[in-house]
C-alpha cells in the first residue's frame, strides 16, 4: 500500500467516480499478472492496494446502492486476498464485475 499511503479521501474525491473505478481496475489488472507461486507477496500487495482504494471509494459520498455493490465486491476481493492460491478465472470475474459499475469503465471490457 506504500504506493498509495499518502492518498487521502480529500485527494481521492478530486477524481470522478469513473476515474476511481478505473484506478481500482488498474490495480486489479496489475494483480492479474501475478499468478506464479513466486509472485505471492506481490499479488498480496496488489490486492492490498485494491482494497485500500476500494475503501476510499466506499467512504466517499455517493449513492447507497453503489456503495452496497462496492461493499459486496470488496468482500469478494478480500476472499481472493486470503485464498491460498491465485485463481485467475475468479480474479477476471471480479475485474469484469468492477468494470461494469460505470459505462465509462465498461468500455474497457471491449477495448482489450
Amino acid at each position: 500500500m506504500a504506493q498509495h499511503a499518502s492518498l487521502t479521501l480529500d485527494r481521492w474525491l478530486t477524481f470522478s467516480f469513473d476515474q476511481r473505478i478505473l484506478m481500482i481496475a488498474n490495480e486489479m489488472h496489475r494483480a492479474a499478472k501475478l499468478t506464479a507461486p513466486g509472485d505471492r507477496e506481490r499479488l498480496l500487495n496488489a490486492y492490498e492496494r485494491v482494497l485500500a482504494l476500494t475503501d476510499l471509494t466506499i467512504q466517499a459520498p455517493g449513492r447507497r446502492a453503489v456503495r452496497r455493490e462496492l461493499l459486496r465486491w470488496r468482500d469478494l476481493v478480500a476472499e481472493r486476498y486470503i485464498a491460498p492460491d491465485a485463481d485467475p478465472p475468479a480474479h477476471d470475474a471480479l475485474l469484469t464485475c468492477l468494470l461494469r459499475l460505470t459505462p465509462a469503465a465498461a468500455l474497457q471490457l471491449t477495448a482489450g
Side-chain angles (χ1 to χ4, degrees):
M1 177 56 190
Q3 192 171 4
H4 299 295
S6 63
L7 185 61
T8 65
L9 180 58
D10 287 339
R11 172 73 174 122
W12 192 238
L13 290 174
T14 65
F15 301 107
S16 70
F17 183 70
D18 289 327
Q19 290 172 314
R20 290 181 228 151
I21 295 301
L22 288 169
M23 285 188 265
I24 297 168
N26 188 43
E27 293 296 342
M28 286 291 288
H29 182 68
R30 284 188 185 117
K33 298 176 184 179
L34 303 170
T35 59
D39 291 333
R40 182 71 182 159
E41 187 172 331
R42 291 176 58 215
L43 175 62
L44 293 177
N45 289 336
Y47 279 140
E48 286 173 10
R49 291 189 302 270
V50 167
L51 292 168
L53 294 177
T54 303
D55 288 345
L56 284 172
T57 304
I58 290 166
Q59 292 172 39
R63 297 179 312 207
R64 290 177 61 145
V66 172
R67 181 175 294 123
R68 186 173 45 248
E69 291 305 313
L70 274 173
L71 284 165
R72 288 179 182 149
W73 185 84
R74 187 201 185 284
D75 285 347
L76 296 172
V77 173
E79 285 180 16
R80 295 297 341 123
Y81 179 80
I82 63 172
D85 298 309
D87 183 345
H91 179 91
D92 291 346
L94 284 170
L95 179 56
T96 299
C97 181
L98 177 70
L99 290 172
R100 288 186 174 154
L101 283 176
T102 74
L107 293 173
Q108 298 300 310
L109 294 169
T110 56

